[in-house]
Amino acid sequence: MVKLTDVARAAGVGYGTASRALSGKGPVGGDARARVLEAARELGYTADATARALRERRTRSVGLIVPDMTNEFYTASAEVLQEVLRAAGHHLFVATTGNHPGRDQEALQEMAARRVDGIVHVPSGPSTAATSPVPVVELNRYSGRNVPAVVSDDYAGVKELTELVIAAGYTDIAAIVGPDTYSTSRDRLAGFKAATEQAGFSENAATGKRLRIVFSDFSAEGGASAMQTLLPDPPQALLPLSSRLVMGVLKTTREAGIRVPDDLSLAGYGDPDWFEIWGPGITTFAPPLAQMGAKAAEILLDLINGHEPTDTLSRIPGALRIRGTLGNPGIS
Amino acid sequence: MVKLTDVARAAGVGYGTASRALSGKGPVGGDARARVLEAARELGYTADATARALRERRTRSVGLIVPDMTNEFYTASAEVLQEVLRAAGHHLFVATTGNHPGRDQEALQEMAARRVDGIVHVPSGPSTAATSPVPVVELNRYSGRNVPAVVSDDYAGVKELTELVIAAGYTDIAAIVGPDTYSTSRDRLAGFKAATEQAGFSENAATGKRLRIVFSDFSAEGGASAMQTLLPDPPQALLPLSSRLVMGVLKTTREAGIRVPDDLSLAGYGDPDWFEIWGPGITTFAPPLAQMGAKAAEILLDLINGHEPTDTLSRIPGALRIRGTLGNPGIS
DNA sequence: CTGTTAGCGCCTTCAT
DNA sequence: ATGAAGGCGCTAACAG
């Protein structure tokens, strides 16, 4: 591997001069500069980032910790996060936790050991209390630690989505939500409850407006079995509040021969691309994943540059996508 | 940041002793070892990976270069790749190229500058000629460089898939394939051609067995407009040879009111989870993405450990998933 | 403007 | 078994 001294020697200049010429910082004679650049190009020199990191005490890299690289819910944010960071000269270290909370801590430490300049963290669970020596911003979920977080405004979004369902005239509505150890589950559930209760729905059907809530884990399997439990007495309209839950529900309705929306109305959460082409199109609340990624990157860059965090929780509004699965209550 | 000298001082031992105690390499008194470990724990010491990398001339990190983090086709491999690598003590540096070939080179250099121990590369295009100073294995696509590559056996898979379509009795078949700058496009197309030609299909319908091929870029938009061009004279059966192309085709059929499989039979490529629940289920060839990721990781680890590459191109067989979109030619 | 030099934190011989 | 010291490649501060 060719190093700085090689370049300096080839250019016939001193060590430091070569360094200054390459970095552009510090004075250097136009003549010497040219010779150094030439020599560097000739020899195919690229500065050793590990040495530079040691010396400069920064790596120009940031850590990204996500539960799972295959979930569009995370990668859609990660993609633009990566773009913004790259534009600022930072590169990405990625670790996945498989939603196994113990591995959050592990990943955090690993990143710290590698001296990343900052970390974007999608927490796997509730507060993994440890404080990090490098700036952290949480994405998608907030753990309760006192760090900036960027999330979708799920409360507002799901509330609005639920209001849409209610406005369509359904009087027997159920939601499937993830474990309440996740902030996302709690926010979405709160939005659902706010809308239904405000419209006079309650868990005991006394008012004639029935509302049900089924808890499940955040997987397709979870959604499928949650739907199973509803099979004996299905609601008119169902809100599986994550795209994986939607997937699971559709597996079950499919097997059970339940037609959506003819037999069961559906409103979902998230907006993976297939929502648009499934059946009549899935009506859903789409969180602003790209914006969230960009915002998280910007906040982290600020933190890295020494700015103090201004607001610790950014809720970014998403958008309703009204398609066909809500159907028309008419006959029912 | 607490460093080794701090630990040594706190433990009342010398610098080197502390290092040996922590690393477990080299002799150290049981007594001293205990004190060092204790002190390290107490102070929350973690070795500086940048310093260690400089000294040891390896980073225990590997680079992953992919076109796009949001495409299941890459992330499904990446996920298990990451697991295998992690188990071997390596962590992942990720760069995306957006399928923009210039950025492959950029990413390769960046990774080399960071002194990763190895690189897994999903090439954006044809041979980006440069030779890398670190071991590289290509994944999903092969660029033509003389480096080991791990790919799905698309030729065999698509051939088999096409034979299935032919066996169903269709006599007017079309395929939509990506740009032939990609090895994947070429392999899939070759499989399609092999099966059709062997069965007596040709591009001029003289034999009564008609075959058509439409080129497109690898996006949903590409698939949609390719389908548009077929609209005036649709085939009986269509094979969009990538999952994004399938997505695009379905957008167009949906808008045009074409029913699948009643009006048009379909056999796809890839197996994102929604293929199973779309309509009657999408019949498809599923490449072994997880195995490919694992295999790539294993080959890279071998390379890193100094083994010479044994075979330079591993084609791993995938599996047919027979579902409902192929329909029944009967009436047509 | 340029060459020389002192570390960044760690691992690893080399004496002791 | 332990302490001391050199050096990985680089940047920045200093002297010329």
Side-chain angles (χ1 to χ4, degrees):
Chain A
M1 201 87 291
V2 37
K3 45 200 227 191
L4 195 47
T5 53
D6 300 330
V7 176
R9 186 155 9 91
V13 302
Y15 194 15
T17 307
S19 171
R20 285 188 294 261
L22 270 320
S23 71
K25 321 194 69 131
V28 72
D31 181 43
R33 149 171 294 116
R35 290 212 311 285
V36 170
L37 262 40
E38 168 63 14
R41 206 178 44 70
E42 189 113 355
L43 277 58
Y45 170 79
T46 38
D48 184 327
T50 63
R52 199 198 310 247
L54 179 59
R55 177 65 228 238
E56 288 191 316
R57 322 201 54 67
R58 65 171 178 158
T59 54
R60 299 165 194 269
S61 70
V62 330
L64 173 64
I65 304 173
V66 294
D68 170 1
M69 291 182 60
T70 66
N71 193 332
E72 176 257 1
F73 190 60
Y74 309 125
T75 56
S77 292
E79 181 72 19
V80 23
L81 182 90
Q82 200 258 2
E83 287 300 338
V84 175
L85 255 19
R86 205 177 63 93
H90 290 265
H91 288 253
L92 222 52
F93 237 108
V94 176
T96 69
T97 63
N99 260 320
H100 188 60
R103 276 170 56 177
D104 275 84
Q105 200 51 38
E106 224 174 80
L108 249 7
Q109 284 196 345
E110 177 67 27
M111 298 294 184
R114 290 188 182 269
R115 303 296 188 260
V116 296
D117 297 337
I119 295 174
V120 175
H121 183 196
V122 181
S124 289
S127 176
T128 49
T131 170
S132 165
V134 304
V136 174
V137 14
E138 291 182 344
L139 180 61
N140 278 337
R141 319 204 268 229
Y142 46 96
S143 70
R145 279 189 293 165
N146 188 28
V147 300
V150 179
V151 301
S152 157
D153 192 350
D154 282 359
Y155 173 82
V158 172
K159 180 160 182 284
E160 205 182 338
L161 181 73
T162 308
E163 284 164 355
L164 193 68
V165 174
I166 294 171
Y170 297 105
T171 55
D172 184 359
I173 304 180
I176 304 177
V177 302
D180 75 352
T181 49
Y182 299 110
S183 64
T184 45
S185 300
R186 295 192 299 272
D187 289 350
R188 295 172 203 176
L189 180 56
F192 176 73
K193 278 186 167 166
T196 46
E197 286 171 1
Q198 185 176 309
F201 282 72
S202 79
E203 303 213 34
N204 44 32
T207 61
K209 296 181 176 179
R210 178 148 81 135
L211 112 80
R212 276 175 285 175
I213 295 163
V214 182
F215 286 91
S216 155
D217 68 40
F218 261 139
S219 65
E221 294 69 32
S225 58
M227 183 64 214
Q228 292 283 2
T229 69
L230 288 169
L231 240 33
D233 176 20
Q236 294 168 341
L238 179 63
L239 291 83
L241 294 178
S242 101
S243 65
R244 299 226 156 160
L245 292 176
V246 171
M247 167 72 61
V249 164
L250 294 179
K251 279 187 180 163
T252 296
T253 55
R254 176 189 178 72
E255 284 163 12
I258 295 175
R259 293 166 305 165
V260 174
D262 300 352
D263 301 327
L264 175 70
S265 283
L266 193 80
Y269 177 98
D271 197 20
D273 50 12
W274 60 271
F275 270 28
E276 188 184 343
I277 57 159
W278 187 92
I282 295 177
T283 293
T284 194
F285 168 71
L289 301 176
Q291 290 170 54
M292 287 158 60
K295 176 86 176 186
E298 285 157 15
I299 292 181
L300 188 60
L301 287 172
D302 274 355
L303 255 37
I304 290 174
N305 293 331
H307 297 238
E308 285 304 309
T310 53
D311 43 4
T312 75
L313 181 57
S314 312
R315 294 185 189 271
I316 306 183
L320 249 40
R321 302 254 190 272
I322 299 176
R323 299 195 272 242
T325 51
L326 209 45
N328 187 317
I331 312 299
S332 179
Chain B
M1 201 87 293
V2 37
K3 46 201 227 189
L4 196 47
T5 53
D6 299 330
V7 176
R9 185 156 9 90
V13 302
Y15 192 18
T17 307
S19 172
R20 286 187 292 261
L22 270 309
S23 72
K25 320 191 73 128
V28 75
D31 181 43
R33 150 170 294 116
R35 289 213 311 283
V36 170
L37 263 41
E38 167 62 17
R41 206 178 45 70
E42 189 113 354
L43 276 60
Y45 169 79
T46 38
D48 184 325
T50 64
R52 189 191 307 223
L54 179 59
R55 176 64 228 245
E56 290 190 319
R57 323 202 55 67
R58 66 172 178 156
T59 53
R60 297 162 196 271
S61 68
V62 331
L64 172 64
I65 303 174
V66 294
D68 170 2
M69 292 182 59
T70 66
N71 194 330
E72 177 258 0
F73 190 60
Y74 310 125
T75 56
S77 291
E79 180 73 19
V80 23
L81 181 90
Q82 201 258 1
E83 287 299 339
V84 175
L85 255 20
R86 206 177 62 92
H90 291 265
H91 288 252
L92 223 51
F93 236 107
V94 177
T96 70
T97 63
N99 259 320
H100 188 59
R103 276 171 56 178
D104 276 86
Q105 201 51 39
E106 221 175 83
L108 249 7
Q109 283 197 344
E110 175 69 27
M111 298 293 183
R114 290 187 182 269
R115 302 295 189 261
V116 296
D117 298 336
I119 295 175
V120 175
H121 184 197
V122 180
S124 288
S127 176
T128 50
T131 172
S132 165
V134 303
V136 173
V137 14
E138 291 182 343
L139 180 61
N140 278 337
R141 319 205 267 229
Y142 46 95
S143 70
R145 278 187 295 166
N146 187 28
V147 300
V150 178
V151 302
S152 157
D153 192 349
D154 281 0
Y155 173 82
V158 172
K159 180 161 182 285
E160 205 181 338
L161 181 72
T162 308
E163 285 164 354
L164 193 69
V165 175
I166 295 171
Y170 298 105
T171 56
D172 184 359
I173 304 182
I176 304 177
V177 301
D180 74 352
T181 49
Y182 299 110
S183 64
T184 46
S185 299
R186 295 191 300 271
D187 289 350
R188 294 173 202 175
L189 180 55
F192 175 73
K193 277 186 169 166
T196 45
E197 287 171 3
Q198 184 177 310
F201 282 73
S202 79
E203 302 213 33
N204 44 31
T207 62
K209 296 182 175 179
R210 176 147 83 133
L211 113 78
R212 275 176 285 175
I213 294 164
V214 182
F215 285 90
S216 155
D217 68 39
F218 261 139
S219 64
E221 293 70 32
S225 58
M227 182 65 215
Q228 292 282 1
T229 70
L230 289 168
L231 240 32
D233 176 21
Q236 293 168 341
L238 178 64
L239 289 82
L241 294 178
S242 100
S243 65
R244 298 226 157 161
L245 291 175
V246 172
M247 167 73 60
V249 165
L250 294 180
K251 278 187 181 163
T252 297
T253 56
R254 175 191 178 71
E255 284 163 12
I258 295 176
R259 292 165 306 164
V260 175
D262 298 352
D263 302 327
L264 174 71
S265 283
L266 192 81
Y269 177 98
D271 197 21
D273 50 11
W274 61 270
F275 270 28
E276 188 184 343
I277 57 159
W278 187 91
I282 296 177
T283 291
T284 193
F285 168 70
L289 302 176
Q291 289 170 57
M292 289 159 61
K295 177 86 175 183
E298 284 157 16
I299 291 181
L300 187 61
L301 287 172
D302 273 356
L303 256 37
I304 290 175
N305 294 331
H307 296 238
E308 285 305 309
T310 53
D311 42 4
T312 76
L313 182 58
S314 312
R315 293 185 190 270
I316 306 183
L320 250 39
R321 303 250 190 275
I322 300 177
R323 297 196 271 242
T325 51
L326 208 45
N328 187 317
I331 312 300
S332 180

